[in-house]
Amino acid sequence: MKIAVAGAGIIGACTAWAAAKQGHSVTLFEQDTAMAHTSRSSSKLLHGGLRYLETGQFALVKKALHARRFWLKHAPDLCRPLELLFPIYARRGRPKWQVGIGTRLYDFLAAGSGFPYSAWLGKAETLARCPTLLSDGLKGAFSFYDAQMDDYALGQRVVEQCRRLGVSVAEHHKIESFGQLAEFERIANAAGPWAMALRSLQGGTPAYAIDWVRGSHIFIDRFQPQALMLPVPQEKRIFFVLPYQGKTLIGTTEVRQSHPDAQRPSETETAYLLAAYNAYHSEKLTANDISGSFSGVRPLIKSAADPSNATREWAFERVGNVLHIYGGKWTTAQLQGEAALQELLK
Ligand SMILES: Cc1cc2nc3c(=O)[nH]c(=O)nc-3n(C[C@H](O)[C@H](O)[C@H](O)COP(=O)(O)OP(=O)(O)OC[C@H]3O[C@@H](n4cnc5c(N)ncnc54)[C@H](O)[C@@H]3O)c2cc1C
């Protein structure tokens, strides 16, 4: 079958890959260059999403926990297992019992995925692993495992696999009307944050709405080898402090916006991330320590008043020969691509 995929982020690339593996004739159209947008602006985690357990997204977490293995197996040079610590402080953030239940459930849902189990580390060991953490009130930390990737390089690897299987990758080629794609029997709209612009070309009321939620990260040169997941003070949100390519990556924010374009992280966002980091570390950071930053827009399916609680699941809408793909996560993109292909071939 002749298939067109619009959008060469990780979701479009995985959809094209799935189709090419089945021998279809595929063209992957990209308005800019492959992996130029959200898919290179992630937190670089291949993760189940410990915090999604709080919103009851058990099926998604289980799926994502097992999906980590796919990437580690197929691109061991671009991903690695990552041990994270979730420090517990007296009278601050979630209580120890609650995080303990979460990490146990994470282990249970991950069973068979080949990752080490979570464990409790006492205060001395936590500080030995991360000497800059504030010791006042520290009880210890839960250790648990996810994986880390180079999102841009891994995405390019998928595009490379597509090319090897004969996919024609048309960069700098924006789809402005489906008339442009009349020669194709099936079309997948994998335009991520721009999916609604393509959907609107067909008229009618879309089955889903997209929430554009910007997430920003900052880099600092001071290298912190221990990955941390920490609650943002006075909030339900969490943030990460991650070793990444010789630097430390701190993120992320969740700012709802009214358009799909990523913009530079705002001063408010960088101040928010610095304050969150400083609330837990003895060596304080200032804006002068920031050596880089980036932001990306999550194309989330509108499902909650607070974007933090919005589902990270994917959804499909079929209109004529076009399959519109909404939502999803980097970690589960390969599964999403396979599922999209099944829908597309119906
Ligand atoms: C801050 C942040 C942190 C995240 N962290 C993680 C994480 O750690 N782990 C995880 O699993 N997930 C994470 N995610 C989610 C994950 O990054 C996204 O779900 C995923 O990258 C979305 O990919 P996509 O292909 O849908 O979108 P994109 O990567 O944006 O790709 C869509 C592509 O479509 C192209 N396009 C748009 N319109 C057209 C058109 N008309 N014609 C041709 N091309 C078009 C665009 O140029 C773009 O390249 C994070 C997201 C954000 C924003």
Side-chain angles (χ1 to χ4, degrees):
M1 199 175 276
K2 249 187 130 183
I3 296 176
V5 179
I10 193 57
I11 306 302
C14 284
T15 305
W17 193 20
K21 278 192 264 188
Q22 285 197 13
H24 297 285
S25 163
V26 186
T27 305
L28 178 58
F29 293 96
E30 167 54 48
Q31 63 181 358
D32 294 320
T33 53
M35 306 300 145
H37 295 283
T38 307
S39 298
R40 71 175 306 173
S41 312
S42 78
S43 300
K44 330 288 182 201
L45 291 173
L46 295 166
H47 64 159
L50 184 61
R51 76 184 183 86
Y52 303 134
L53 294 176
E54 284 183 333
T55 45
Q57 300 186 57
F58 303 127
L60 169 72
V61 172
K62 183 172 181 180
K63 188 163 58 183
L65 284 167
H66 289 269
R68 302 174 300 183
R69 180 56 51 201
F70 173 86
W71 298 111
L72 286 167
K73 183 169 168 226
H74 285 84
D77 53 326
L78 300 176
C79 347
R80 62 176 185 119
L82 181 74
E83 183 192 22
L84 292 107
L85 297 190
F86 192 117
I88 302 291
Y89 283 86
R91 295 174 300 284
R92 215 175 150 185
R94 291 156 181 83
K96 181 181 171 188
W97 64 264
Q98 189 183 342
V99 181
I101 290 175
T103 51
R104 278 299 174 87
L105 189 53
Y106 213 57
D107 289 341
F108 174 73
L109 294 172
S113 68
F115 280 77
Y117 289 124
S118 63
W120 170 253
L121 308 181
K123 178 172 179 170
E125 190 171 354
T126 303
L127 286 174
R129 301 268 197 103
C130 193
T132 58
L133 268 182
L134 287 180
S135 75
D136 198 22
L138 180 68
K139 292 182 169 178
F142 285 98
S143 142
F144 67 99
Y145 280 80
D146 270 314
Q148 189 177 49
M149 61 173 160
D150 177 334
D151 53 3
Y152 181 71
L154 189 54
Q156 291 294 346
R157 178 74 53 85
V158 173
V159 173
E160 198 182 298
Q161 294 300 316
C162 287
R163 284 199 173 98
R164 281 204 186 145
L165 291 172
V167 174
S168 165
V169 181
E171 292 181 307
H172 303 293
H173 195 128
K174 183 173 181 179
I175 302 306
E176 317 236 26
S177 88
F178 289 119
Q180 273 173 270
L181 303 175
E183 65 183 284
F184 293 91
E185 294 160 87
R186 296 281 195 279
I187 299 162
N189 165 11
W194 295 270
M196 280 302 158
L198 282 185
R199 171 63 186 86
S200 68
L201 297 175
Q202 288 189 301
T205 308
Y208 298 90
I210 291 291
D211 218 353
W212 293 299
V213 182
R214 186 172 73 248
S216 296
H217 290 81
I218 53 174
F219 278 113
I220 56 168
D221 285 339
R222 199 183 302 160
F223 183 63
Q224 182 165 310
Q226 179 59 61
L228 300 173
M229 179 175 177
L230 289 157
V232 177
Q234 273 86 53
E235 286 188 37
K236 271 278 176 210
R237 295 196 66 248
I238 55 89
F239 72 104
F240 294 103
V241 178
L242 302 167
Y244 187 70
Q245 298 184 343
K247 297 188 175 204
T248 301
L249 181 62
I250 305 171
T252 174
T253 57
E254 281 172 315
V255 181
R256 199 171 245 152
Q257 58 176 53
S258 58
H259 57 84
D261 302 299
Q263 51 204 52
R264 299 297 309 153
S266 68
E267 277 181 29
T268 312
E269 285 177 282
T270 54
Y272 172 91
L273 292 173
L274 289 174
Y277 178 94
N278 288 341
Y280 293 98
H281 291 82
S282 51
E283 290 174 16
K284 307 297 181 198
L285 298 176
T286 69
N288 292 335
D289 294 302
I290 299 174
S291 59
S293 64
F294 62 89
S295 71
V297 176
R298 302 172 184 86
L300 301 181
I301 296 170
K302 209 170 234 172
S303 58
D306 178 353
S308 201
N309 295 335
T311 179
R312 263 59 175 177
E313 278 285 6
W314 66 69
F316 302 128
E317 180 186 17
R318 180 74 181 261
V319 183
N321 68 340
V322 183
L323 183 77
H324 301 282
I325 304 175
Y326 307 120
K329 272 168 72 82
W330 221 113
T331 309
T332 51
Q334 184 266 336
L335 296 172
Q336 187 172 348
E338 299 279 351
L341 178 68
Q342 271 190 22
E343 288 296 318
L344 198 59
L345 296 180
K346 278 182 186 166

